[in-house]
């Protein structure tokens, strides 16, 4: 079912008979499961600019463990990449260079049910539809506001309040792991099943659920489930035309918008929706069985 915006909105079930709108440009192709939107003969794409040396000697892929939850975070070195896709949906254009002057950390996996419960003492997914209740499955039925509460509690435990939802640029930079193809492994969607839980291998739109994290292959920088499993909240406001404005296309994204960005696709998405450049959005209070998050953290020298 489509919204009143001419096909730019998709209505998705939250639970029972209630429906919520998620905006995803090019959603017709996603729903129909059409082949990838770009040619599938380009290999893994060109490499992004090499990472800059880190002042403290950290290297991309280096890990740390957050003590309150046991979350593993991976260091992503400073550098540049080409964000977006010229062959993708309208909201993925134009492709533009984004540079990071310093590195950052990002979760190796989506925040799990066990990690959420350990810090927050709650289980928002309990008894909800399309949920496998296991500690190592992603925490779902988490709104953007809920994720903000989790991050605020993490920040209360450290001297420098560096935890945050990934910006959209941080998320795509980390997902691509130095490539410019449709996926972190190249352009052929036939290989997606090795890296992602998505519609084809997860029970479809209504009968599936999120799977245990880190059960598929990681990208080159050691990050799991960047494609599929659950859509992930980003901190940015969503603007379908953000990439067209140079002063709004940098690492921090736009200051206002119609909803919050979500990235990565989920167990209910087709291969098209799981591409590295695919952008979606929904209201920051929305909760579903296929929407979760991962945590990022800024570095301090």
């Amino acid at each position: 079912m489509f919204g009143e915006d001419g096909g730019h909105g998709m209505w998705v079930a939250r639970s029972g008979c209630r429906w919520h709108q998620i905006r995803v440009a090019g959603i017709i192709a996603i729903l129909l499961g059409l082949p990838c939107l770009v040619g599938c003969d380009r290999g893994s794409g060109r490499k992004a600019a090499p990472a800059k040396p880190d002042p403290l000697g950290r290297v991309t892929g280096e890990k740390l463990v957050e003590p309150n939850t046991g979350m593993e975070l991976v260091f992503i070195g400073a550098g540049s990449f080409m964000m977006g896709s010229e062959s993708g949906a309208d909201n993925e254009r134009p492709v533009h260079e984004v540079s990071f002057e310093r590195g950052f950390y990002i979760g190796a996996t989506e925040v799990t049910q066990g990690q959420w419960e350990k810090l927050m003492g709650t289980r928002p997914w309990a008894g909800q539809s399309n949920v496998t209740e296991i500690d190592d499955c992603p925490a779902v039925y988490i709104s953007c506001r809920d994720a903000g509460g989790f991050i605020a509690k993490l920040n209360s435990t450290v001297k420098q309040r560096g935890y945050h939802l990934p910006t959209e640029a941080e998320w795509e930079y980390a997902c691509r792991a130095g490539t410019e193809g449709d996926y972190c492994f190249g352009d052929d969607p036939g290989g997606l099943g090795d890296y992602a839980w998505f519609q084809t291998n997860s029970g479809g739109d209504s009968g599936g659920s999120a799977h245990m994290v880190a059960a598929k292959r990681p990208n080159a920088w050691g990050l799991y489930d960047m494609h599929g499993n659950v859509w992930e909240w980003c901190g940015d406001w969503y603007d379908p035309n953000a990439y067209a404005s140079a002063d709004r296309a940098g690492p921090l994204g736009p200051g206002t918008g119609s909803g919050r960005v979500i990235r990565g696709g989920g167990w209910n998405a087709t291969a098209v929706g799981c591409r590295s450049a695919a952008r979606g959005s929904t209201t920051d209070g929305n909760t579903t069985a296929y929407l979760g998050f991962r945590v990022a953290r800024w570095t301090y020298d």
Side-chain angles (χ1 to χ4, degrees):
M1 182 183 298
F2 293 93
E4 297 178 357
D5 53 358
H8 292 292
M10 175 177 69
W11 291 87
V12 293
R14 172 181 172 182
S15 62
C17 295
R18 291 174 294 176
W19 294 77
H20 296 262
Q21 189 181 45
I22 289 181
R23 297 179 182 274
V24 183
I27 198 64
I28 296 176
I30 294 174
L31 286 174
L32 295 179
L34 297 179
C36 60
L37 296 178
V38 301
C40 295
D41 60 350
R42 294 187 288 112
S44 60
R46 300 183 303 278
K47 295 294 182 180
K52 300 176 182 179
D54 181 72
L56 298 184
R58 292 167 292 211
V59 296
T60 295
E62 183 177 307
K63 298 175 182 178
L64 65 79
V65 175
E66 195 285 315
N68 298 286
T69 60
M71 287 189 304
E72 190 174 78
L73 294 108
V74 178
F75 180 69
I76 307 299
S80 300
F81 81 111
M82 301 306 293
M83 186 171 183
S85 171
E86 292 292 358
S87 300
D90 290 345
N91 68 351
E92 299 167 23
R93 298 193 289 268
V95 173
H96 56 285
E97 184 176 41
V98 174
S99 297
F100 293 90
E101 293 301 316
R102 64 190 309 144
F104 58 93
Y105 287 94
I106 192 167
T109 71
E110 296 141 344
V111 174
T112 67
Q113 295 174 20
Q115 292 162 351
W116 176 279
E117 187 172 7
K118 187 173 183 180
L119 186 69
M120 304 298 284
T122 62
R123 303 177 72 244
W125 54 85
Q128 299 280 9
S129 59
N130 299 99
V131 177
T132 300
E133 296 187 33
I134 297 175
D135 279 355
D136 288 335
C137 279
V140 291
Y141 287 94
I142 304 296
S143 71
C144 189
R145 300 167 194 167
D146 296 333
F150 181 92
I151 287 168
K153 194 160 187 179
L154 278 182
N155 278 326
S156 71
T157 68
V158 293
K159 182 177 180 181
Q160 294 164 312
R161 297 172 60 85
Y163 288 106
H164 61 283
L165 283 175
T167 68
E168 188 173 16
E170 285 176 336
W171 191 97
E172 188 169 329
Y173 180 48
C175 176
R176 290 187 175 281
T179 67
E180 293 182 355
D182 283 351
Y183 307 97
C184 69
F185 54 87
D187 292 322
D188 185 357
L192 185 59
D194 292 335
Y195 292 83
W197 297 108
F198 66 117
Q199 190 180 84
T200 299
N201 60 12
S202 295
D205 285 334
S206 60
S209 64
H211 293 252
M212 291 176 61
V213 300
K216 294 291 187 177
R217 294 178 63 178
N219 70 10
W221 291 350
L223 304 177
Y224 295 87
D225 300 305
M226 297 298 285
H227 303 301
N229 212 12
V230 294
W231 290 87
E232 300 178 15
W233 290 110
C234 290
D236 301 46
W237 290 103
Y238 175 72
D239 178 353
N241 301 310
Y243 294 2
S245 178
D247 62 344
R248 299 175 68 185
L252 294 181
T256 59
S258 58
R260 294 289 182 179
V261 171
I262 56 175
R263 284 298 205 118
W267 57 264
N268 66 323
T270 64
V272 172
C274 294
R275 293 174 301 113
S276 300
R279 306 176 68 212
S281 75
T282 187
T283 59
D284 60 5
N286 194 10
T287 63
T288 74
Y290 44 81
L291 182 55
F293 72 109
R294 74 179 70 216
V295 167
R297 184 181 180 181
W298 290 302
T299 60
Y300 298 95
D301 299 338

